[in-house]
Amino acid sequence: MQRRPATEAEAAALASAVRLRIIRLTYDRAMTNKEIAERLGKDPATTLHHVRKLVATGFLEAQEARAGNRGAREIPYKSTGLSWRLTKTRYPEQTSEAVFEAFLGEVAEIGPAALNQFRLVARVDRAELKRRLQTLLDELATEPAHPDGERVAIYLALYPGD
């Protein structure tokens, strides 16, 4: 998969747990700002700020407007998949922290019992392991959605086993 470095604006956009959660929520289903706010338990004005930043940096794309309750015009937004096609960000510490916070927020929402967890300590060639995992994740990210497939999120962390 072709990747490129994140721009300054893209890196800043990815350094937010709320924005990362919005990207995940809209991965395969367009959602309005109101739906996003409800799902995240946030004020719509707060999420609109984040949605606008994600649209401006290419992480979200506005879909065709639709009529909501009482005929109000609503604009749904859908993830473009851009975040997966970027390499290093200019804020690695903030981005790493945001990814972790997004994961913790999602787990808090569903509860730890809903997780399939795996733990292993092994002595490996770290670069080779990262390459193999990246290949698998790239394959999953680029293949068409399985028609009967279950929507899952994957969080993977490698850390020193000492």
Side-chain angles (χ1 to χ4, degrees):
M1 170 178 284
Q2 286 284 54
R3 287 194 160 74
R4 65 167 175 78
T7 66
E8 184 84 20
E10 289 166 342
L14 293 175
S16 162
V18 171
R19 289 192 283 270
L20 292 174
R21 291 191 68 196
I22 291 170
I23 290 169
R24 184 191 64 81
L25 285 172
T26 60
Y27 157 71
D28 65 352
R29 174 184 57 214
M31 298 176 76
T32 66
N33 182 63
K34 181 181 176 187
E35 291 169 330
I36 293 167
E38 287 172 358
R39 185 65 192 275
L40 294 177
K42 304 272 186 204
D43 180 80
T46 299
T47 56
L48 184 58
H49 162 77
H50 293 292
V51 165
R52 286 180 174 160
K53 187 164 193 107
L54 290 168
V55 169
T57 51
F59 293 107
L60 286 186
E61 194 170 69
Q63 305 296 295
E64 192 164 323
R66 64 185 186 204
N69 294 343
R70 296 183 236 162
R73 183 175 178 259
E74 296 180 337
I75 299 174
Y77 299 91
K78 192 164 186 263
S79 171
T80 62
L82 173 62
S83 60
W84 191 254
R85 296 188 307 269
L86 299 175
T87 59
K88 305 175 207 165
T89 70
R90 288 175 167 77
Y91 309 109
E93 189 172 311
Q94 294 94 324
T95 303
S96 293
E97 189 173 318
V99 169
F100 188 61
E101 286 176 15
F103 170 72
L104 292 177
E106 291 162 0
V107 170
E109 188 177 304
I110 63 168
L115 297 177
N116 289 332
Q117 299 183 63
F118 308 91
R119 284 181 47 104
L120 171 71
V121 175
R123 188 168 297 278
V124 299
D125 177 333
R126 188 179 181 110
E128 174 62 12
L129 178 59
K130 283 176 65 176
R131 186 197 64 72
R132 291 170 61 189
L133 291 170
Q134 188 70 58
T135 299
L136 173 62
L137 295 175
D138 283 346
E139 183 180 310
L140 292 172
T142 57
E143 67 185 32
H146 189 283
D148 299 321
E150 179 183 355
R151 183 180 152 114
V152 298
I154 300 169
Y155 176 86
L156 181 64
L158 298 178
Y159 55 96
D162 298 337

